[in-house]
Amino acid sequence: MFNSHNFDVLGSTLASTLRRWRGTMGSSKTAQPEKAPELFDREGCPHCRLVREALTELNLDAMIYPVPQGGVRHRQRLQELSGGDTVPFLYDPNTDEKIAGAQAIVTYLFRQYRAKQPPAALRESFINMTGSRLATLVRGGKGLTAAPSNAPKKPLALYSFESSPFSRLVRERLCELELPYLLVNLSKQQLADLGPAAQRLHLGDYKPLPGSKREAFLKEHGRVQAPFLVDPNRGEGAGLFESAEIIKYLNAAYAV
């Protein structure tokens, strides 16, 4: 029997399809910088989506500071860094660079961390922005507007990749609740990574690329599945799989 969460998953799958599943495959060559770049983001924003797709395709982790419409929790820091309150905005503590706008951010990330130009599919072209706006439309405004919440003492951590329909549902709620989190990208890097966790396109035991974040995750948790939430503020929130369970936890722990 279908419930509201199942319909949400279908809508999220359609959103990924409209973006042609950008933000799925990631680089195996990008080294993580010493400090995570900080992204001031709004999950449902069509421009922000391009930046998150770039982060996944570079396989870069980032600290996400959600700035939903009507939200105030991270707006002052955004204004101090950028002089305004427009998202997306990136601050890279490794280089002290401050960059506003999706096109400039995507270009910076590819140049800084891969020494190359970004692919055409991540540029703010008419076609790309049309697909991203349609993806926002089918999500019905989720991940855009702030909801009352209690602030955590420490940022959460979410293991995700941009096109994951299940991960999107969690990111939407994190944004609405203005909960900062370390986004750990578990990009797919080979054919064996494709498909759901229990039905991957491979024969025999699943083996992520050696030295990858996926390999480390498999060793620690016995499977590679996104989303996965870690909340250092509450013991019962450590190590949650399954989007429905994570959203239920976030609502109980932080929604007002």
Side-chain angles (χ1 to χ4, degrees), residues 47-66:
H47 298 273
C48 295
R49 181 176 289 108
L50 299 185
V51 178
R52 296 194 308 271
E53 288 173 351
L55 288 170
T56 292
E57 297 191 17
L58 287 169
N59 206 19
L60 277 175
D61 302 339
M63 269 302 308
I64 304 296
Y65 292 100

Side-chain angles (χ1 to χ4, degrees), residues 84-102:
D85 57 5
T86 301
V87 294
F89 178 83
L90 183 87
Y91 169 60
D92 190 343
N94 302 285
T95 62
D96 204 35
E97 289 286 338
K98 303 177 180 70
I99 308 108

